[in-house]
Amino acid sequence: QFLRVTKQYLPHVARLCLISTFLEDGIRMWFQWSEQRDYIDGTWNCGYFLASIFVFINLFGQLSGCILVLSRNFVQYACFGLFGIIALQTIAYSILWDLKFLMRNLALGGGLLLLLAESRSEGKSMFAGVPTMRESSPKQYMQLGGRVLLVLMFMTLLHFDMNFFSILQNIVGTALIILVAIGFKTKLAALTLVIWLFGINIYFNAFWTIPTYKPMHDFLKYDFFQTMSVIGGLLLVVALGPGGVSMDEKKKEW
């Protein structure tokens, strides 16, 4: 019933959510140009010129990629460019050594992989009338990889406390991410995760309650929009299904 009502709008909402963290970060680069440049220069001792080039690449690459995705023009090139931004930031901000942020960046990459799969035309449309094996389609493996990477976000939300609520949350959350990863009851599991993650995001990352001059404001804002991007990836799973490499697809053959 949910899919019938939202069929026309859900992919657009998913894409907007997915690129939201790039849009927010690109705008932040504009308003915090000197702070970002000084941070990169202080961390890498690369000089103001190279640090400014880094900030410009982040600003232009993210904003132009968002515009292309939203306008549905050259989406594949936009995705590759945003992949490059993720890799660049992972190195520049030393995210490689922070497991939590690394997993979240990989989850963000999973969302882009799903977007890339969505924009990729089916092989059968290129060779009409010629039978193809669904399992060999690169699009199906992009969807599988995107689903698996998306669930990394939820692994960073698990709490290893011994109280009843945390244990229940871990059990339910783990069950849902396994269902999404293997592609079983995928749309229902992904939609449940969207609702759960959105609630957690509003509660824990309420950056609007923190004054803008405090560093915690920017930290929560970044975390909020990064989580929204993962929600966008999950909404793509809800809208488009898990793809050919999934238990839901295999059930049709049984």
Side-chain angles (χ1 to χ4, degrees), residues 3-237:
L3 288 175
R4 280 196 294 268
V5 172
T6 62
K7 183 178 180 180
Q8 293 182 343
Y9 311 104
L10 194 58
H12 302 290
V13 174
R15 286 191 290 269
L16 179 61
C17 290
L18 205 156
I19 58 94
S20 62
T21 189
F22 299 106
L23 189 61
E24 185 275 331
D25 197 47
I27 294 173
R28 183 162 56 90
M29 290 290 170
W30 175 268
F31 287 103
Q32 297 182 3
W33 180 287
S34 58
E35 292 93 331
Q36 295 294 326
R37 179 198 59 198
D38 292 344
Y39 175 82
I40 294 298
D41 181 33
T43 302
W44 296 96
N45 287 323
C46 56
Y48 271 21
F49 178 73
L50 289 179
S52 297
I53 292 296
F54 169 83
V55 178
F56 175 77
I57 290 173
N58 272 273
L59 188 155
F60 179 77
Q62 292 185 102
L63 293 184
S64 61
C66 291
I67 291 171
L68 291 176
V69 168
L70 292 178
S71 64
R72 306 301 292 153
N73 292 311
F74 305 104
V75 175
Q76 296 188 29
Y77 295 106
C79 288
F80 287 127
L82 294 175
F83 275 126
I85 294 293
I86 292 176
L88 183 64
Q89 291 186 350
T90 299
I91 296 172
Y93 294 117
S94 301
I95 293 176
L96 275 174
W97 318 119
D98 189 319
L99 184 60
K100 177 181 176 181
F101 282 99
L102 178 61
M103 293 173 74
R104 293 193 173 195
N105 266 18
L106 289 173
L108 190 57
L112 286 177
L113 203 56
L114 289 169
L115 183 61
L116 188 62
E118 185 215 8
S119 68
R120 188 182 178 89
S121 59
E122 291 283 5
K124 61 183 179 182
S125 65
M126 298 172 60
F127 303 100
V130 179
T132 57
M133 293 184 63
R134 289 174 300 174
E135 290 80 2
S136 63
S137 169
K139 178 178 178 178
Q140 314 296 345
Y141 290 103
M142 287 181 189
Q143 290 175 292
L144 172 63
R147 293 199 322 268
V148 171
L149 289 176
L150 274 182
V151 303
L152 294 178
M153 166 63 77
F154 297 91
M155 295 178 67
T156 68
L157 299 176
L158 299 178
H159 301 287
F160 298 99
D161 302 326
M162 294 310 294
N163 63 71
F164 175 77
F165 180 76
S166 293
I167 294 174
L168 180 63
Q169 178 177 286
N170 290 347
I171 293 173
V172 175
T174 302
L176 289 172
I177 64 178
I178 291 174
L179 290 176
V180 171
I182 65 176
F184 182 70
K185 300 290 183 183
T186 318
K187 292 184 177 183
L188 180 60
L191 183 58
T192 305
L193 282 175
V194 165
I195 297 170
W196 181 35
L197 187 56
F198 184 74
I200 290 175
N201 201 26
I202 293 293
Y203 183 78
F204 288 105
N205 295 323
F207 64 90
W208 52 88
T209 63
I210 307 295
T212 55
Y213 61 85
K214 291 188 176 182
M216 184 59 69
H217 176 88
D218 278 348
F219 175 79
L220 291 179
K221 189 177 182 181
Y222 172 79
D223 216 23
F224 177 88
F225 282 103
Q226 195 172 49
T227 306
M228 288 301 298
S229 290
V230 175
I231 288 175
L234 285 168
L235 286 175
L236 278 180
V237 174

